């Protein structure tokens, strides 16, 4: 590699790293407990006790109460509100019902109740506050909404550029050294540099995956808007121009679910979006199904059911950009391989923090050194150290 190429890659690595490092450190620190959010929630909130599904009074073969019954119970505790979402847990008889003052209520005005569907008992409300909620908001948008999400997405792209440029520089720098060499007998700066390179190359693939998936996750709102404008509009073209369906005319949820299951057999329902919300039209129940394999259970397929007549309208797989978003979420937090994978994610997160902190130290120590001296250092594999 020529000196001019090394100089260009060095400058790319230097400035992309400097711009994003502070924010990446924040994301690493807040992301560490978020990796174990499920485990922390169970420890802090206790295990919810469910009745054993048997032969329920409804005659349901699984011993679960009808959806219409559960919705009536939820609305009875929130008079004057309308249903927004109904979500299911396919591993146990728990479910949630989210309500609000109007069909397009923002998140701040929503109330989510947790139910035991085998008994109809209210188990409590999902709380939006607490330390974990604070960390999640700081991690996702820094309490700045969409602007904060897009800014962190840009930091993720800069981080990816820093990884690529660092990898390009790693090859000529290490060509005269064995992999993993730590020159402890040399200067303090070289020892920090060797640790920076070692932890960086070991965690390279993971950092690239987390950086790219994190950037994709920040596009959640634009992606959902794009789906609404294109796919959802095409699926409900026959309803264009019709007035929004008022909640008083909503039909049976159980009939709607039965029709949706006929259209998508062999899939499990994950949640229902009600008319007027961001995941449905103004006239439909949108029943979102997930597959039954480790991969397809992350991919959602909506079935639209006319909320007034309970007639099936259409079902269509999500477009590629929604699929990319659905797959990036669990991959970002290691939430698809159980506790062992989460522990590995946590270890690699600590490696990343080491790479970032050693990078800051190296920059502070060499900020008065010319770029020519650093190019020479890379060319000689570290045999010539830059001096002020």
């Amino acid at each position: 590699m020529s000196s001019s190429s090394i100089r260009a890659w060095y400058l790319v690595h230097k400035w992309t790293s400097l711009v994003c490092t502070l924010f990446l450190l924040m994301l690493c620190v807040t992301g560490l407990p978020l990796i174990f959010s499920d485990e922390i929630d169970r420890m802090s909130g206790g295990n919810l006790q469910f009745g054993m599904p048997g032969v329920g009074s409804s005659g349901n073969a699984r011993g679960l109460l009808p959806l219409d019954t559960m919705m009536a119970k939820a609305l009875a505790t929130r008079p004057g509100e309308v249903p927004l979402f109904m979500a299911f847990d396919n591993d146990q008889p728990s479910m949630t019902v989210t309500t609000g003052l109007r069909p397009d209520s923002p998140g701040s005005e929503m109330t989510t109740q947790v139910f035991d569907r085998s008994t109809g008992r209210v188990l409590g409300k999902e709380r939006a506050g607490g330390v974990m909620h604070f960390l999640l908001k700081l991690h996702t948008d820094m309490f700045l909404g969409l602007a904060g999400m897009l800014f962190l997405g840009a930091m993720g792209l800069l981080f990816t550029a820093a990884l690529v440029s660092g990898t390009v520089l790693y090859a000529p720098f290490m060509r005269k050294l064995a992999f993993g060499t730590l020159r402890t007998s040399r200067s303090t700066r070289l020892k920090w540099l060797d640790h920076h390179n070692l932890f960086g190359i070991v965690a390279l693939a993971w950092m690239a995956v987390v950086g790219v998936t994190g950037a994709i996750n920040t596009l959640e709102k634009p992606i959902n808007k794009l789906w609404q404008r294109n796919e959802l509009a095409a699926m409900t073209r026959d309803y264009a121009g019709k007035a929004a369906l008022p909640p008083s005319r909503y039909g049976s949820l159980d009939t709607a679910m039965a029709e949706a299951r006929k259209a998508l057999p062999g899939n499990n329902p994950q949640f229902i979006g009600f008319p007027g919300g961001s995941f449905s039209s103004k006239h439909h129940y949108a029943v979102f199904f997930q597959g039954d394999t480790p991969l397809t259970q992350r991919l959602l397929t909506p079935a639209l059911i006319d909320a007034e007549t309970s007639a099936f309208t259409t079902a269509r797989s999500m477009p590629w950009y929604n699929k990319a978003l659905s797959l990036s979420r669990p991959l970002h937090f290691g939430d698809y391989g159980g506790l062992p994978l989460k522990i590995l994610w946590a270890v690699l997160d600590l490696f990343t923090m080491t790479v970032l902190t050693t990078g800051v130290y190296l920059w502070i120590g060499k900020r008065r050194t010319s770029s020519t001296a650093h190019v020479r250092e890379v060319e000689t594999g570290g045999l010539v150290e830059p001096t002020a």
Side-chain angles (χ1 to χ4, degrees), residues 288-323:
F288 283 80
F289 287 88
Q290 62 187 83
D292 56 0
T293 67
L295 177 61
T296 59
Q297 70 179 1
R298 307 293 180 178
L299 303 176
L300 301 180
T301 302
L304 298 185
I305 309 297
D306 189 302
E308 184 174 23
T309 66
S310 295
F312 171 76
T313 298
T314 186
R316 183 184 298 185
S317 297
M318 300 295 269
W320 66 268
Y321 44 86
N322 285 90
K323 291 180 178 178

Side-chain angles (χ1 to χ4, degrees), residues 112-168:
T112 300
Q113 301 177 73
V114 185
F115 289 89
D116 179 351
R117 194 180 169 193
S118 65
T119 64
R121 185 165 59 96
V122 181
L123 300 176
K125 297 179 182 178
E126 288 190 348
R127 294 179 173 85
V131 175
M132 294 304 293
H133 176 72
F134 174 84
L135 293 176
L136 181 61
K137 287 292 292 180
L138 184 60
H139 188 87
T140 55
D141 63 12
M142 300 187 298
F143 299 94
L144 297 174
L146 179 59
M149 294 179 70
L150 296 179
F151 177 81
L152 290 178
M155 294 302 102
L157 294 178
L158 286 178
F159 180 51
T160 303
L163 293 175
V164 172
S165 56
T167 303
V168 172

Side-chain angles (χ1 to χ4, degrees), residues 18 38 47 96 101 113 138 162 177 211 218 231 247 252 305 337 385:
L18 285 177
D38 292 337
N47 294 324
T96 61
L101 294 175
Q113 301 177 73
L138 184 60
L177 298 172
T218 64
E231 299 294 322
S252 169
I305 309 297
E385 289 189 64

Side-chain angles (χ1 to χ4, degrees), residues 39 45 52 73 96 113 119 148 157 230 251 264 274 334 341 364 384:
E39 289 76 11
M52 293 298 292
K73 288 179 177 292
T96 61
Q113 301 177 73
T119 64
L157 294 178
N230 296 338
L264 296 171
F274 284 77
L341 189 64
I364 292 174
V384 177

Side-chain angles (χ1 to χ4, degrees), residues 12-28 151-163 356 360:
V12 170
H13 185 67
K14 173 184 176 181
W15 290 111
T16 55
S17 300
L18 285 177
V19 172
C20 72
T21 289
L22 179 62
F23 300 99
L24 263 295
L25 275 171
M26 180 274 292
L27 292 173
C28 287
F151 177 81
L152 290 178
M155 294 302 102
L157 294 178
L158 286 178
F159 180 51
T160 303
L163 293 175
L356 294 171
V360 171

